[in-house]
Amino acid sequence: MPAPHNARLTLDPTAPSAPVDPRIFGAFVEHLGRCVYTGVYEPGHPTADTDGLRTDVLDLIRELGPTMLRYPGGNFVSGYDWEDGVGPKDERPRRLDLAWRTVETNQFGLGEFIRLCRATGTEPMMALNLGTRGVAEAIALAEYCNIPGGTARSELRRAHGDAEPYGIGLWCLGNELDGPWQIGNKTAEEYGRLADQTARALKMIDPGLELVACGSSGRSMPTFGQWEATVLEHAYESVEFISAHAYYEETDGDVDSFLASAADMESFIAGAVATADAVGARLKSRKRINISFDEWNVWYMGRWHAEGVHEEPWQVAPRQLEDVYSVTDAVVAGSLLITLLRNAERVTAACLAQLVNVIAPIMTEPGGPAWRQTIFHPFAEASRYGRGRVLTVNVDSPEHDTAKHGTVALLHATAVACEDGSTSVFAVNRDTARPLTLTVDLRAGGPHGAVTCSTLADPDRHARNTMAEPDRVTPQSNKDVRVEAGRVEVTLPPLSWNTIRIAAA
Ligand code: AHR
């Protein structure tokens, strides 16, 4: 093994810190491929409950620890009529889903989604169709969901078997409407007006609703910045969030750039925050718009385009976007989580896209088992140990150059002061060949208890989990931890994700 690099992380528990909003550990369930059908929902499966939900998948979702689920899309939502997915199942229509070129059976809809949220203890984040539909349908959906009774649509929900309102507090005003691929895509002017009108109508139902306007569907969109500014000029006072979406993949064997993807996410967040704040300043508003990073992940989109899925026949729940993730992908996913945490002051909602089978941490086989992908582990650890206040950290690390993202630190890290008095350090070593000796300076934090480290790494950076070998890659206890005089020293293997836990004294 080549000689290690050295890096230092100084934690300052006395410096101002931002609370971590639990909503940054959200995930995403779209009617896409097998995310819903044979993913979370498979009535004939041996583990299915009376709602048709796979309890083996529910167990894994609880272990993963998402706090919130965004639904029903994604691109799917822009052609979706929510009314198709409620009421007696045998009366629900089969429809073409133009977004993913499939047949939607509507056997899973709104009520089933709410049961999924309740079974997993997650908050629903409901996306509205502002592609083919508009203000009237958004009002109707909110009435169906949130009004206890006594009106036509709330009584309809009750007649469908749900006496209790769903109490959905967080709503997405459409999806990626800047994208030419989006059904009913719009100019920023058109969308900004529609988002504002829809938001104001929804808030007439309940002023306490929290609303997300669509930002750019990617930082590389030519309209990035201008789109956000124009949309917010219209909707600043009627929404709480502007969204951001980002997917990363390794291209041309350029692993160093891939491992530095978080630098792009960081610039995306900074740009969206600056744009929102500039609009707020121009409008002389006291309000602050936060970022909902409601789609992020590794996605081998290049491979998907090359597969020519749009030439497939119309099918129900075909295998789509079933990326099998490697150790490298997990380290990148972990570094994106670190970036979300580092920006906790302004990123107060986020969703790993997606949850099951479709670019997902959990995989299933129809009629068969469910298992954890490599990216499951950083998310589960961050969600479990990343609740509290994100600390100001001083990172002193060697750097290297990357083709896509310039010069980046080899150590990418953050720390969270947890609610139980413990501290978590999440750290990625981006070097593919050399270990990194990390010194965490704890002196400002006073006495502490035991220190442990969990590490995800593998001599084969392409190692994956599969149905045949579901636990090929799992986090291991890192024994290379030394504690002395207010300092913790840990050796981080090359290309690794690490969770260091420092117990309270
Ligand atoms: O998550 C897959 C797709 O990526 C979503 O449907 C869309 O919003 C984005 O382009």
Side-chain angles (χ1 to χ4, degrees):
M1 180 79 73
H5 294 287
N6 290 301
R8 173 177 285 268
L9 192 68
T10 308
L11 311 188
D12 184 357
T14 59
S17 61
V20 177
D21 193 314
R23 280 180 173 163
I24 74 166
F25 301 114
F28 179 29
V29 172
E30 178 167 6
H31 284 254
L32 195 185
R34 300 191 307 113
C35 183
V36 169
Y37 302 107
T38 73
V40 291
Y41 179 79
E42 190 177 346
H45 191 272
T47 71
D49 65 13
T50 49
D51 293 318
L53 300 173
R54 281 182 62 154
T55 57
D56 58 343
V57 175
L58 296 181
D59 287 343
L60 285 178
I61 296 173
R62 289 187 207 102
E63 183 186 325
L64 180 73
T67 50
M68 173 174 87
L69 298 180
R70 180 171 179 252
Y71 174 85
N75 296 342
F76 171 81
V77 78
S78 297
Y80 180 55
D81 293 348
W82 64 267
E83 300 88 336
D84 290 345
V86 298
K89 293 200 177 190
D90 56 357
E91 291 171 20
R92 296 187 192 175
R94 289 165 71 91
R95 302 272 191 212
L96 294 182
D97 162 28
L98 304 184
W100 300 106
R101 203 185 153 78
T102 60
V103 173
E104 172 56 52
T105 64
N106 285 304
Q107 292 303 292
F108 186 99
L110 192 47
E112 290 77 21
F113 169 62
I114 293 298
R115 278 182 267 295
L116 171 67
C117 290
R118 288 179 181 161
T120 51
T122 51
E123 177 188 1
M125 180 191 211
M126 184 60 57
L128 293 161
N129 175 358
L130 293 188
T132 59
R133 307 188 101 190
V135 185
E137 294 86 353
I139 294 171
L141 178 55
E143 180 188 326
Y144 182 95
C145 292
N146 283 2
I147 299 297
T151 67
R153 294 184 189 104
S154 58
E155 288 302 325
L156 187 62
R157 185 199 67 245
R158 293 171 67 90
H160 291 157
D162 286 337
E164 289 304 313
Y166 298 151
I168 301 174
L170 185 59
W171 298 74
C172 300
L173 301 167
N175 177 70
E176 292 189 351
L177 284 149
D178 62 327
W181 59 87
Q182 200 71 204
I183 300 168
N185 79 303
K186 299 187 170 29
T187 64
E189 283 287 343
E190 289 166 342
Y191 172 69
R193 269 177 63 71
L194 179 58
D196 180 52
Q197 289 163 349
T198 309
R200 282 188 288 113
L202 289 172
K203 287 192 172 174
M204 288 177 191
I205 299 177
D206 178 356
L209 296 182
E210 292 178 87
L211 305 175
V212 184
C214 293
S216 294
S217 49
R219 181 167 172 254
S220 60
M221 293 298 284
T223 49
F224 171 62
Q226 190 54 55
W227 170 275
E228 280 80 355
T230 307
V231 168
L232 287 176
E233 299 273 353
H234 287 283
Y236 197 91
E237 293 301 340
S238 55
V239 303
E240 281 64 41
F241 295 90
I242 186 94
S243 72
H245 292 178
Y247 293 101
Y248 300 97
E249 64 187 307
E250 182 177 338
T251 52
D252 308 320
D254 181 3
V255 64
D256 287 342
S257 290
F258 181 45
L259 286 163
S261 298
D264 177 82
M265 183 187 242
E266 187 81 47
S267 304
F268 195 167
I269 295 167
V273 166
T275 307
D277 288 352
V279 176
R282 247 192 334 264
L283 297 177
K284 302 182 182 62
S285 176
R286 291 215 179 94
K287 183 175 171 180
R288 206 173 68 160
I289 299 290
N290 282 334
I291 309 299
S292 171
F293 218 115
D294 46 45
E295 289 188 32
W296 66 267
N297 201 352
V298 173
W299 174 10
Y300 286 87
M301 208 183 293
R303 269 184 226 153
W304 173 69
H305 282 297
E307 279 165 13
V309 279
H310 286 287
E311 285 125 48
E312 295 287 320
W314 297 94
Q315 298 168 66
V316 175
R319 290 180 190 264
Q320 291 180 324
L321 280 59
E322 297 200 4
D323 286 5
V324 179
Y325 291 116
S326 65
V327 171
T328 313
D329 299 327
V331 172
V332 171
S335 69
L336 299 175
L337 278 160
I338 288 171
T339 295
L340 293 172
L341 283 166
R342 286 165 65 113
N343 287 281
E345 199 185 337
R346 299 302 294 271
V347 179
T348 53
C351 301
L352 171 66
Q354 298 194 5
L355 183 62
V356 185
N357 289 328
V358 172
I359 46 174
I362 298 169
M363 295 300 287
T364 69
E365 191 56 25
W371 64 96
R372 304 163 192 81
Q373 293 239 54
T374 57
I375 64 166
F376 183 102
H377 298 291
F379 189 99
E381 291 186 351
S383 177
R384 190 169 316 130
Y385 301 122
R387 311 286 181 93
R389 296 187 76 82
V390 72
L391 292 172
T392 306
V393 292
N394 184 4
V395 179
D396 181 8
S397 164
E399 300 175 329
H400 71 177
D401 295 332
T402 68
K404 282 192 194 158
H405 305 299
T407 304
V408 297
L410 292 176
L411 171 71
H412 187 53
T414 192
V416 174
C418 301
E419 285 142 7
D420 65 358
S422 63
T423 304
S424 300
V425 174
F426 302 109
V428 156
N429 175 8
R430 285 177 167 141
D431 197 302
T432 54
R434 289 174 66 179
L436 186 146
T437 303
L438 169 63
T439 304
V440 184
D441 191 333
L442 298 170
R443 273 167 300 184
H448 58 81
V451 180
T452 56
C453 177
S454 155
T455 293
L456 189 89
D458 199 281
D460 174 8
R461 77 174 186 89
H462 301 290
R464 291 146 203 247
N465 293 337
T466 58
M467 182 164 61
E469 234 187 328
D471 295 319
R472 164 73 180 79
V473 180
T474 55
Q476 303 295 320
S477 167
N478 185 336
K479 301 289 180 217
D480 227 340
V481 178
R482 297 159 296 277
V483 185
E484 56 174 68
R487 280 195 340 226
V488 174
E489 213 177 76
V490 188
T491 304
L492 313 183
L495 211 164
S496 61
W497 156 266
N498 306 272
T499 301
I500 301 164
R501 296 273 302 134
I502 302 153

